[in-house]
Amino acid sequence: MKKLLLLAIFMVTFITSAQVKLTGVVKDSIGVPLEMANVLAINKITKKMTSYGFTDSKGNYKLDLDKNSTFDIKISYIGMKTSEFEIITKTKNIVKDITLFEDNSLDEITIVSKMPVTIKGDTIVYNADSFKNGSERKLEDVLKKLPGVEVNDAGQIEVEGKVVEKITVDGKEFFSGDTKLASKNIPSNAVDKIQVLRNYGDINQLKGVQNNQDRVAINIKLKEGKKNFWFGDVVAGAGSAPEQTLYLFQPKLFYYSPKYTLNVIGDVNNLGDVVLSRRDLRSFSFNFRSQSPSNGTNINLASAGIGFLTASARNANRIETKLSALNFSYSPNKKLDLTGFLIFSSNSNGQRNIRDIDYVNPNIPDDFVDKTSNQTSNTGLFSFRSVYKKNVNNQLNYNVSGRFSNEFKTENVASRVLSDITERERATPYTVNQDLSYFYTANENNIFAIEVKHVLQNEDPFYVASIENDPDNNANEPNGNNPPDGFDEPAKSLGLVRDRIFYNLEQDRRVKSNQLDAKLDYYYILNSKSNLNFVAGTISSKQNFDSKFFQILDIDQPKEGSNIFEPNPTIDGISDPQITNNTEYNFTDLYAGVRYRLKSGIFIFTPGFTVHSYNSNNTQYGTEYFQDKFKEFLPEFEVIAQFKKSENLRFSYKKQINFTDVTQIARGIVANNYDAFFAGNASLVNSSSHNLNLRYFSFNLFNNTNVFAFVNYSKTADQVNRNTIFTPGTVVSSATSLNSPLNNESVNARFNASKRFGKLQTSIGGSYGYNKVFQFINNVANTNEITSKGISTRFGTNFREAPNVNLRYSVSFSNQNNSSRAGVFKTVRHRPSIDFDAYIWNSVTVTSDFSFTDQRQNGVSANTFSLWNAKIAYRKDKDAKWEYELVGNNLLGTGSEANINQGIISSTINETFILPRFVSFRIRYQL
């Protein structure tokens, strides 16, 4: 790394010494400095743009120009006549002040269209071609090169540390709900402009009366040649790998016109290319976002789904993917827009994980678990959205969407403590969401907004576990020659029959959720700088949970004429344990509130509060009833300091009330896993939290820097935690939920600063986290504190006609202090990486990425692994229809990678086996 750093310093020094600076001040005709004027330098010989910049708040500009060259300089500002002049550079810096005069011509628009980056209010516009060198194939490849834009490890797009919530194409919805379908499929050569929409709001009537600093969206402007024509690409490929033949077929077709659009995406492969994981499909937002701020109430909808592991090339040894997706939009007239999509995804994968588990409590035996999983998830999604704008004062929206799945998995487990286990699980869950909203502007001072949301959800997992047993050693001594099996004592407390060669356990569960959320917002505009927002609404939620836990005896040895045995458990720490659940949980929130928004100088103040009347109750087994009714005052406050057009500081405070779901309340036994049993607590009450956030952002085009930082602090009272009790001498636990008598606290901070030196891009980032959580283990209060810190650096180039290199290095530290363990448990993770991409001879593309990871536990290296992927592609020229690719994944043949996880109960070294070395040949046809 030292050599790489010296090379980077040498490159910066060399490039800087070969240039001179052109500086000056841009003012209007009366001497007022002009901020954000565009400055452009074009080489007179090559006719190419070589440098660009913007003026700062004092009108200063600066350009780095090559020595001994001639340039055309153009300086423009909206409403001013463009200034054009010639500069001949020698070896000394040049100073030249400019005065611009009023003009109503459109020269500035022409200049701006050539600028790599421009800022228009809250919108940052990137000229995509300015950041391409020919190696890009998808939108994601371009996004990774934009200053201020990041693509995280999960594939999400981040701006200012905030996740982009949607991507539109020419203003049309593109599979709203997940941005990865756009970033990983839209061809890069179709992209003209990338517009980052900060403070995003999709209801024009509310933009002047709300703060939307948390919202970011992206709009893609297509090139003119891509409109009213089909475009896209089709990729087919095959290859070889150990023990299997590889295949890939990916058609991606797009059609855009002012009236309607069609997007068709297909994908069949076993190469580990997963566009949408099961987690992505289950978290699809369907764009159901309230247009007014949260009113302080959070209620969980129960999820009893299968515990699938999300599969990717980094955590699975087999992945087979099928995806079919259709997205459309249709505008029959200027008032009505219709959009929707249909998606079918089938993902089958195999995984192997080896876990070395070190339990915090010394009385719990440490375990070594080798688990092999085979999972299949078939999911269908649909969405339909209509927007009717009668005029600028009336807008009616209706959305409906749904998700239907058929999922199943099988796991084979070898445990040092519990011997061999087989698990099987299946489920057919579904969710249907509806959203109706109406926005009405009565006059310039009065705006009304009505929003109604409805969620219907059903989950029905069926779980089977078969645990190996020796029926002849149940009564033996633990330290004898043939000690009892690891599950024998837990089986006794569960009331199971213990004279069979297997403990065959089954569990049937069903969770039904039905929730309605309705509210009315009224905005009264006092004057041009202030307005009031009155809100009133209700949340009504009903959740039902039914389950049954039982044992299946050997068919040839039935008990009392049946092979189904209903146990009678006696579990320490759980009062009157039952093997069934029949629970209904009802929740109602009636609330009203007011917010006041005031602009004063550089500040925007928004104080407010809501008053709530809560009623939650649950009925179990038709006879047991618990109710909790109370009223709550929830204050909130936000202030924004807008220092410049692209620099601000924001502080917010909000008190929130959090309600749990029915699965935490139902008091019957539930097998969360073969080694973890749980019973809820009918008398749980809500938790309350105080949340503070401080966020800073600066995007300075004058000195090419981008900085963001934030700090979050949260303190939660009555947090729903657990009392976990381990059966002596085993790793099997039973737990019940409770309200923590002590407050949980967390602090999370992050910063990132990047700066561009000509074609060189540098950045440094850091993070800090502190989490203090209280749990009970074996009825003893346990305090768990985890402090994490991390630093990441990046040095890269962005040449258009030369190879590009990105060097990254990150290091993270995590210290765990647990009251049940002496000393501090420390882990360190180092990860240097290098990416390379080049487009050479106007026909050959070469890309490569390499990373090395070293993880240390208490100062000792626990695991190291390296990953290397590469691709070489040939096409006749940039406009060629055909392209041929040779792709290598995991070229070093790394078999597994490992992570160290620190938890409240244990710390674990988790070794995950990954996809083997894949080499494939692909053909791409560009429409």
Side-chain angles (χ1 to χ4, degrees):
M1 288 303 296
K2 291 182 179 179
K3 293 181 179 179
L4 292 175
L5 181 60
L6 290 174
L7 176 62
I9 295 174
F10 170 77
M11 292 176 66
V12 173
T13 304
F14 175 78
I15 292 176
T16 303
S17 63
Q19 293 179 325
V20 298
K21 293 186 180 298
L22 171 63
T23 60
V25 179
V26 179
K27 299 180 179 180
D28 64 11
S29 58
I30 60 175
V32 177
L34 297 176
E35 182 182 5
M36 296 304 297
N38 302 293
V39 186
L40 188 68
I42 299 176
N43 188 294
K44 293 201 71 170
I45 303 299
T46 64
K47 304 299 182 183
K48 294 183 178 181
M49 181 185 65
T50 58
S51 185
Y52 71 95
F54 300 83
T55 55
D56 63 10
S57 59
K58 297 181 181 180
N60 296 305
Y61 75 92
K62 62 179 179 181
L63 295 178
D64 293 319
L65 304 175
D66 295 333
K67 294 179 179 179
N68 303 311
S69 301
T70 303
F71 299 91
D72 284 329
I73 308 298
K74 299 182 179 182
I75 301 178
S76 63
Y77 190 84
I78 296 177
M80 300 287 181
K81 183 175 177 59
T82 299
S83 175
E84 300 185 35
F85 55 91
E86 181 180 276
I87 287 290
I88 300 175
T89 61
K90 299 298 183 182
T91 58
K92 295 183 179 180
N93 294 334
I94 302 171
V95 179
K96 187 173 180 63
D97 296 335
I98 302 297
T99 299
L100 298 183
F101 298 91
E102 287 189 21
D103 185 26
N104 293 323
S105 68
L106 299 179
D107 290 345
E108 195 271 339
I109 295 177
T110 303
I111 301 300
V112 168
S113 67
K114 300 178 182 179
M115 298 291 290
V117 186
T118 57
I119 295 181
K120 299 177 180 179
D122 289 325
T123 301
I124 304 174
V125 183
Y126 298 92
N127 186 347
D129 286 343
S130 300
F131 298 92
K132 300 177 187 176
N133 70 344
S135 65
E136 306 81 11
R137 293 298 178 267
K138 300 302 175 186
L139 172 63
E140 182 182 58
D141 301 327
V142 183
L143 292 172
K144 290 179 178 179
K145 298 183 177 183
L146 305 182
V149 179
E150 298 286 338
V151 179
N152 62 27
D153 292 339
Q156 297 172 315
I157 307 164
E158 293 185 355
V159 176
E160 306 170 23
K162 292 173 283 192
V163 175
V164 172
E165 67 178 71
K166 71 155 65 172
I167 291 181
T168 58
V169 179
D170 279 347
K172 304 292 186 180
E173 298 278 356
F174 190 96
F175 291 100
S176 60
D178 190 281
T179 59
K180 280 183 283 197
L181 274 173
S183 63
K184 293 182 179 295
N185 289 287
I186 295 177
S188 59
N189 63 359
V191 179
D192 182 27
K193 298 286 192 300
I194 299 173
Q195 299 172 329
V196 175
L197 312 173
R198 299 175 297 161
N199 304 331
Y200 174 72
D202 45 6
I203 305 298
N204 291 329
Q205 295 157 264
L206 303 181
K207 287 184 177 180
V209 295
Q210 289 183 329
N211 299 331
N212 292 312
Q213 274 70 20
D214 285 333
R215 303 184 64 186
V216 181
I218 286 178
N219 181 54
I220 304 301
K221 299 291 291 183
L222 296 175
K223 293 184 175 180
E224 288 300 322
K226 302 300 181 181
K227 299 177 182 179
N228 296 312
F229 292 97
W230 283 96
F231 66 93
D233 57 35
V234 179
V235 180
S240 64
E243 301 180 0
Q244 64 178 316
T245 300
L246 305 177
Y247 58 85
L248 177 144
F249 181 64
Q250 296 175 330
K252 300 167 185 179
L253 307 174
F254 312 94
Y255 182 87
Y256 278 82
S257 71
K259 194 168 185 177
Y260 67 90
T261 68
L262 284 174
N263 303 293
V264 181
I265 297 174
D267 188 359
V268 179
N269 79 85
N270 64 348
L271 288 163
D273 289 351
V274 181
V275 176
L276 289 178
S277 68
R278 176 181 178 272
R279 179 183 299 170
D280 297 329
L281 293 167
R282 289 183 67 88
S283 62
F284 241 82
S285 67
F286 301 111
N287 202 34
F288 285 9
R289 182 185 178 115
S290 175
Q291 298 303 320
S292 66
S294 168
N295 291 301
T297 299
N298 297 315
I299 179 170
N300 293 331
L301 286 183
S303 175
I306 295 178
F308 265 69
L309 298 173
T310 299
S312 70
R314 297 288 297 272
N315 68 357
N317 53 25
R318 177 184 63 84
I319 300 178
E320 298 174 12
T321 297
K322 298 177 183 178
L323 176 71
S324 300
L326 170 67
N327 175 227
F328 75 91
S329 69
Y330 177 56
S331 301
N333 53 59
K334 293 183 179 180
K335 297 180 179 181
L336 181 62
D337 285 313
L338 306 175
T339 61
F341 62 75
L342 293 171
I343 299 175
F344 172 76
S345 173
S346 177
N347 188 304
S348 177
N349 62 78
Q351 299 181 332
R352 184 186 177 196
N353 295 274
I354 296 178
R355 294 181 297 149
D356 191 351
I357 306 172
D358 178 15
Y359 286 93
V360 171
N361 191 316
N363 297 319
I364 304 172
D366 295 336
D367 203 0
F368 188 85
V369 179
D370 189 342
K371 178 185 289 187
T372 301
S373 304
N374 286 286
Q375 308 177 144
T376 299
S377 176
N378 301 310
T379 301
L381 297 174
F382 76 89
S383 176
F384 174 77
R385 183 185 185 200
S386 61
V387 177
Y388 177 69
K389 297 180 181 179
K390 181 180 179 181
N391 49 48
V392 295
N393 296 325
N394 290 268
Q395 179 170 332
L396 177 66
N397 299 342
Y398 174 71
N399 307 302
V400 59
S401 64
R403 179 183 67 245
F404 299 84
S405 300
N406 180 17
E407 305 173 330
F408 44 93
K409 75 170 182 178
T410 301
E411 294 185 333
N412 294 305
V413 182
S415 166
R416 183 169 59 196
V417 177
L418 299 179
S419 191
D420 294 337
I421 304 105
T422 299
E423 295 179 283
R424 295 184 298 276
E425 196 165 4
R426 66 176 186 269
T428 55
Y430 68 83
T431 300
V432 178
N433 299 265
Q434 294 185 84
D435 169 56
L436 178 67
S437 54
Y438 176 61
F439 306 92
Y440 172 61
T441 302
N443 51 52
E444 62 181 10
N445 295 326
N446 298 276
I447 303 173
F448 297 87
I450 300 174
E451 297 180 83
V452 181
K453 299 178 183 294
H454 180 255
V455 179
L456 182 66
Q457 183 172 293
N458 183 87
E459 302 208 10
D460 60 345
F462 185 80
Y463 174 73
V464 178
S466 181
I467 306 168
E468 188 178 25
N469 178 47
D470 181 355
D472 298 325
N473 63 6
N474 294 337
N476 293 355
E477 293 294 327
N479 298 321
N481 293 330
N482 185 20
D485 299 313
F487 198 77
D488 282 345
E489 282 302 310
K492 183 178 179 180
S493 65
L494 287 168
L496 302 176
V497 174
R498 300 195 297 161
D499 60 357
R500 301 299 195 266
I501 59 174
F502 288 98
Y503 293 110
N504 293 316
L505 312 180
E506 295 193 5
Q507 178 176 259
D508 196 4
R509 286 181 291 170
R510 182 177 293 274
V511 180
K512 295 181 179 180
S513 302
N514 194 330
Q515 182 167 306
L516 180 70
D517 184 348
K519 63 179 174 179
L520 169 66
D521 281 282
Y522 167 56
Y523 297 90
Y524 178 61
I525 300 174
L526 301 171
N527 50 53
S528 61
K529 295 187 176 181
S530 63
N531 66 269
L532 288 167
N533 169 210
F534 298 94
V535 61
T538 183
I539 300 174
S540 178
S541 177
K542 179 181 179 180
Q543 302 180 42
N544 293 88
F545 180 41
D546 296 283
S547 72
K548 184 176 182 179
F549 170 73
F550 52 95
Q551 181 181 7
I552 300 295
L553 304 180
D554 300 334
I555 296 177
D556 58 344
Q557 294 179 305
K559 186 178 180 69
E560 298 178 358
S562 173
N563 68 327
I564 297 178
F565 175 68
E566 298 182 358
N568 183 23
T570 55
I571 301 176
D572 185 25
I574 299 178
S575 176
D576 186 26
Q578 300 292 317
I579 62 170
T580 63
N581 276 296
N582 178 10
T583 304
E584 180 178 305
Y585 174 45
N586 293 285
F587 169 84
T588 303
D589 174 22
L590 295 172
Y591 62 87
V594 62
R595 299 179 181 92
Y596 176 61
R597 186 171 184 264
L598 171 66
K599 294 181 180 180
S600 178
I602 66 170
F603 296 100
I604 301 176
F605 298 95
T606 312
F609 68 87
T610 52
V611 179
H612 298 253
S613 176
Y614 294 112
N615 183 355
S616 66
N617 62 79
N618 68 82
T619 303
Q620 308 212 28
Y621 309 111
T623 58
E624 302 173 12
Y625 184 76
F626 177 83
Q627 184 178 38
D628 186 26
K629 297 175 67 175
F630 64 99
K631 294 178 174 58
E632 191 74 36
F633 175 82
L634 302 181
E636 59 185 75
F637 177 75
E638 182 180 76
V639 59
I640 301 170
Q642 194 72 41
F643 302 115
K644 300 176 183 177
K645 291 182 178 180
S646 56
E647 182 184 16
N648 62 62
L649 179 68
R650 173 194 170 203
F651 170 78
S652 65
Y653 163 78
K654 178 172 286 189
K655 182 180 179 182
Q656 294 180 308
I657 302 297
N658 311 299
F659 292 86
T660 189
D661 62 71
V662 68
T663 61
Q664 300 296 313
I665 294 171
R667 70 177 189 85
I669 293 174
V670 173
N672 289 333
N673 208 334
Y674 63 86
D675 61 353
F677 297 85
F678 174 77
N681 182 351
S683 59
L684 282 180
V685 297
N686 64 282
S687 66
S688 61
S689 61
H690 299 272
N691 305 282
L692 295 90
N693 174 272
L694 182 66
R695 184 180 291 269
Y696 172 79
F697 168 73
S698 173
F699 195 94
N700 192 321
L701 291 174
F702 173 72
N703 56 21
N704 300 309
T705 60
N706 178 38
V707 179
F708 77 82
F710 66 80
V711 179
N712 296 322
Y713 172 76
S714 178
K715 183 176 182 179
T716 304
D718 296 318
Q719 177 69 47
V720 175
N721 288 336
R722 292 191 174 186
N723 179 24
T724 303
I725 299 176
F726 283 84
T727 304
T730 78
V731 296
V732 180
S733 66
S734 58
T736 187
S737 51
L738 52 79
N739 289 108
S740 174
L742 301 171
N743 295 332
N744 291 356
E745 292 183 275
S746 69
V747 178
N748 293 286
R750 181 183 170 190
F751 84 91
N752 185 271
S754 61
K755 182 173 177 61
R756 181 174 56 82
F757 301 90
K759 295 296 183 180
L760 305 178
Q761 184 74 32
T762 62
S763 69
I764 183 170
S767 62
Y768 172 83
Y770 171 78
N771 288 278
K772 184 178 183 180
V773 179
F774 294 94
Q775 290 278 41
F776 287 81
I777 301 178
N778 294 335
N779 295 315
V780 177
N782 175 278
T783 304
N784 191 69
E785 295 178 285
I786 295 181
T787 303
S788 59
K789 295 170 286 187
I791 297 176
S792 61
T793 59
R794 172 180 174 253
F795 173 85
T797 63
N798 189 25
F799 298 111
R800 294 190 63 186
E801 298 181 357
N804 287 300
V805 177
N806 280 288
L807 305 175
R808 293 181 173 87
Y809 173 73
S810 64
V811 58
S812 60
F813 306 87
S814 182
N815 297 337
Q816 181 188 43
N817 188 1
N818 194 294
S819 59
S820 296
R821 183 202 302 246
V824 178
F825 191 84
K826 300 180 179 181
T827 61
V828 182
R829 182 176 185 266
H830 299 271
R831 189 175 185 271
S833 66
I834 179 170
D835 300 341
F836 173 86
D837 72 86
Y839 184 63
I840 54 180
W841 304 316
N842 201 33
S843 59
V844 177
T845 299
V846 180
T847 63
S848 173
D849 61 87
F850 171 83
S851 66
F852 172 79
T853 302
D854 178 22
Q855 299 194 98
R856 297 179 177 269
Q857 187 177 44
N858 291 329
V860 179
S861 180
N863 183 266
T864 62
F865 58 89
S866 301
L867 293 172
W868 179 34
N869 304 309
K871 180 185 79 172
I872 182 168
Y874 169 79
R875 56 184 176 182
K876 186 177 180 181
D877 53 52
K878 286 187 177 182
D879 299 322
K881 297 288 187 181
W882 293 94
E883 184 174 21
Y884 309 93
E885 301 176 349
L886 185 64
V887 181
N889 300 103
N890 191 12
L891 290 172
L892 300 178
T894 301
S896 64
E897 61 179 66
N899 290 292
I900 300 174
N901 301 316
Q902 296 177 344
I904 295 173
I905 293 176
S906 65
S907 61
T908 305
I909 300 177
N910 185 25
E911 182 183 9
T912 303
F913 289 80
I914 63 177
L915 292 176
R917 181 188 295 112
F918 282 176
V919 178
S920 60
F921 177 74
R922 309 180 188 186
I923 300 176
R924 182 189 305 271
Y925 178 75
Q926 194 82 40
L927 274 70

